[in-house]
Amino acid sequence: MSILQKMKRRRTLALLKRACTLTLALGMTSGAASAASHDALHDVYGYFSYMMNVRDEIRSHRAALAALAEARADVESARANLVEAQEATRDAAANLALAIQNLRAAEEHLAAVRKALVSAEEASALRTEEAIAAQNAEADYVPEVEAQRTALESLYREADNLSRAEGTTGGENPEREKVVARILAEVGYEQNRIVDAQRMVEEALAAERGTTPDAAGAKLAAVSSEVDAAQATLDAMEAQLDALTALREQAEDAERDARELVADYTQEAQASEADLAESRKNKAEAETYDAEAKAWALQAADEQKAAERRLLQSEHDLAYFGEGAGAETGVEYYTWRGERAGHQLYLPLSYFSRTHAGKTKLDYGISAGYVKSHTGFDSGVSGLTDTQASVTIHNEKPRTSVHYGLSVNLPTGESKIYQRAAVPEGLARFTDFGAGWQFIPSVEVTHRISERDRLTGRFSYAMRGGYDYSKEVPNAHVSPGNIFAQEIEYLHAGDKKSYMVQLYHNATSSAVQDAVDTDSRTITGKMHYRDGDDWELRFFCNQAVSAKDELRFYAIYALTEAAKGIASQEVARQYYGLGLRHRVSDKLTWQIMAHYQNVSTTYDPLRTALNTGNGFKRCSLIAGLAWKAGERKNLTFQVERYVRSDVGGAGYNGWSAALWYQQSF
């Protein structure tokens, strides 16, 4: 296989790997951007990005599983919280109903007590009035009784005096007592009829004796009658006083009982008011608890809905893990000095998307660009590059996944160029600028030995169409052979150490090429040949040496067997690199890497101007900055200084600078 054909093959494979990188990253890194080059050196950063993306994919998948588990736990917790909130709502409602009931009972009881208190106070006032009246009646009657006692005592003294005067003792006369009692009864014990009673007593006694008393006896008898009548009156008055006293005592007892009842009702009213205040407080607390319980229930319901939405989102994120889209653009500029001073400007543009059709994941990718290149000779190239489009169908399984892909190269670039327009290997992004149609079906099988370890086999068959390749001879045509490629890869993506080993091989079918004489601008015949098989052994390692620093190393050994049918020889290539990547912050990272390349010879039947017959060595130093401008935006800047030393020639030295912008959607 010619050097330029091998570069085109490598470019196609790099594009496929680039699509894989975009699949994982949804937005390329500087390494992924370099993966579109024509040589393995530019592929290096793509391989490291691929390793890191697998590592990040594992971390993201772990995070997605953890988010799913957390979402499920949140749903269960939210559901339990809602049940508890609903129970609390029911308890609060029942408590509020009871508090309202108790409040109503307290209000009714207080109203009844207050009503009873009013009645008791009215009754107490009445009893007080009655007691006062009884007291006044008794007090008013006591002087009359005392006056009667005084009058009776006066009559007793007078009777005693009369009895002594008559020489009698005035002893008791049973008959007289009986008459006095009878006469008092007849006059009804009326005080104003005491004189009449005395007269009537004397007349009755005289009638019983049948005699007429003499004057002294009559007077004594009269006095005695008066005494008897007065005594009887006093007895009646004392009886009346006793009755008044009894009425007073009864009224006082009733008044005291009424006051005690008022005091009892007053105390009960105070207690009822305290109960009412407590009931109102309980009702207010019950209303607060009811409102809080209802708010809790509403919040719990909202939290459950939110948790269920998060669960659905987590399930969706895990089911469609890695889906999204990304785009990249930028500018790359290369300048060099050697046989002639040259330069190359490249403006890339690519887009990638992962979506799904049902449960099937689909990857779509397309890339193109604009290139302007000049080698320092009279001829140059300016225009579009070839366009690559790809689609991949995923059959994902927990242990083994199969990806079916189809990549198409659309010949939008310039395939017909002058010999001197081809850029020597290692100077710029593009050594050649276009080819014919290519259809590349592929199969990739990945077996996950463990979470961190995977074994991958890749198979592809590139069906390459013919194209005109020379501007010196416009009708010069080449029909390159088809390529059957196989690759096996072992990848360990550890948190601190990641390494990858790849073994690549391809076999090319026969090619037919018009041989040309550029001086006479004629076709001199046809060449039938088959490019030699390609073998590549690659090793990449990324080792964390601190929390923010990663050491990177790679080695690539490539061998292209001699072509069959034309004079050719084996081409051996060796690539080595050592670098350091430092994370300044979550948004800013810098890296520096030294590269060494040793190529045994250069030979290309398509672009004979590149045939030196000898090999070269290339040393370079690349420094870059990566800035995360946003959650989905990345900027990468890279600068390179290189020296290519050709065996038997002066060689080249040059600079390159690149700025890439990546946007994920």
Side-chain angles (χ1 to χ4, degrees), residues 41 336-339 424-427 574 595-602 612-620 641-654:
L41 180 61
W336 63 88
R337 292 184 178 276
E339 184 181 1
E425 183 181 350
L427 302 187
Q574 301 176 41
H595 302 269
Y596 174 77
Q597 179 183 1
N598 189 353
V599 180
S600 64
T601 187
T602 60
T612 63
N614 297 304
F616 66 86
K617 296 179 181 177
R618 185 182 188 276
C619 299
S620 69
R641 171 63 173 166
Y642 66 87
V643 175
R644 171 178 149 166
S645 302
D646 291 8
V647 177
Y652 301 86
N653 66 86

Side-chain angles (χ1 to χ4, degrees), residues 375-641:
T375 59
F377 295 93
D378 293 338
S379 59
V381 176
S382 177
L384 296 176
T385 65
D386 280 359
T387 300
Q388 289 78 33
S390 64
V391 60
T392 304
I393 299 175
H394 294 246
N395 184 11
E396 300 289 349
K397 301 295 181 181
R399 299 289 292 181
T400 302
S401 300
V402 182
H403 298 168
Y404 305 93
L406 176 64
S407 179
V408 180
N409 183 83
L410 288 76
T412 56
E414 183 61 58
S415 64
K416 297 170 59 176
I417 63 172
Y418 291 104
Q419 290 281 343
R420 288 291 189 176
V423 180
E425 183 181 350
L427 302 187
R429 165 77 68 173
F430 294 95
T431 60
D432 209 352
F433 308 100
W437 284 92
Q438 296 184 25
F439 299 90
I440 310 173
S442 62
V443 177
E444 179 180 279
V445 181
T446 299
H447 177 69
R448 296 173 179 83
I449 303 172
S450 67
E451 182 186 38
R452 299 285 183 184
D453 299 272
R454 59 184 61 189
L455 186 65
T456 302
R458 301 184 182 95
F459 309 89
S460 66
Y461 188 78
M463 295 171 285
R464 304 189 296 173
Y467 58 94
D468 294 342
Y469 70 92
S470 176
K471 274 195 173 184
E472 289 91 348
V473 184
N475 294 324
H477 191 79
V478 61
S479 297
N482 298 332
I483 301 175
F484 178 60
Q486 317 95 51
E487 185 177 35
I488 187 169
E489 169 189 292
Y490 174 78
L491 172 62
H492 173 76
D495 280 332
K496 293 185 177 181
K497 184 177 183 179
S498 298
Y499 55 87
M500 179 173 64
V501 180
Q502 295 175 327
L503 177 62
Y504 171 82
H505 170 259
N506 73 44
T508 307
S509 63
S510 296
V512 180
Q513 176 184 327
D514 291 332
V516 299
D517 184 344
T518 57
D519 294 333
S520 64
R521 297 179 180 270
T522 59
I523 297 174
T524 61
K526 289 187 181 294
M527 296 189 298
H528 296 267
Y529 59 92
R530 188 178 71 83
D531 289 318
D533 290 2
D534 280 331
W535 296 87
E536 285 190 12
L537 179 63
R538 315 179 190 115
F539 176 76
F540 301 88
C541 182
N542 190 93
Q543 174 70 58
V545 294
S546 70
K548 293 186 175 183
D549 297 293
E550 295 176 342
L551 188 65
R552 291 181 166 182
F553 170 77
Y554 75 90
I556 302 174
Y557 305 94
L559 176 66
T560 301
E561 298 176 352
K564 309 294 191 299
I566 57 175
S568 180
Q569 59 182 332
E570 293 184 343
V571 179
R573 291 181 174 85
Q574 301 176 41
Y575 305 87
Y576 304 97
L578 181 66
L580 179 68
R581 181 173 182 266
H582 177 75
R583 181 172 59 85
V584 180
S585 66
D586 292 338
K587 293 186 175 183
L588 183 63
T589 302
W590 62 259
Q591 59 182 351
I592 187 169
M593 195 165 211
H595 302 269
Y596 174 77
Q597 179 183 1
N598 189 353
V599 180
S600 64
T601 187
T602 60
Y603 178 79
D604 185 5
L606 196 64
R607 309 296 184 192
T608 58
L610 299 176
N611 296 340
T612 63
N614 297 304
F616 66 86
K617 296 179 181 177
R618 185 182 188 276
C619 299
S620 69
L621 185 65
I622 297 179
L625 281 175
W627 178 47
K628 189 176 181 64
E631 185 65 27
R632 299 176 178 272
K633 300 177 181 179
N634 294 282
L635 282 172
T636 305
F637 175 74
Q638 183 175 287
V639 63
E640 179 186 29
R641 171 63 173 166

Side-chain angles (χ1 to χ4, degrees), residues 278-328:
E278 184 69 20
S279 296
R280 288 172 176 170
K281 179 182 177 182
N282 293 339
K283 178 177 176 292
E285 292 177 352
E287 289 174 340
T288 300
Y289 179 37
D290 183 68
E292 292 175 348
K294 290 178 179 178
W296 180 16
L298 291 174
Q299 182 181 2
D302 292 340
E303 290 178 352
Q304 179 179 332
K305 293 178 181 178
E308 290 174 345
R309 287 194 297 269
R310 289 195 298 272
L311 177 59
L312 290 175
Q313 185 63 48
S314 297
E315 291 175 341
H316 179 275
D317 292 344
L318 191 61
Y320 302 105
F321 179 76
E323 289 196 5
E328 181 194 43

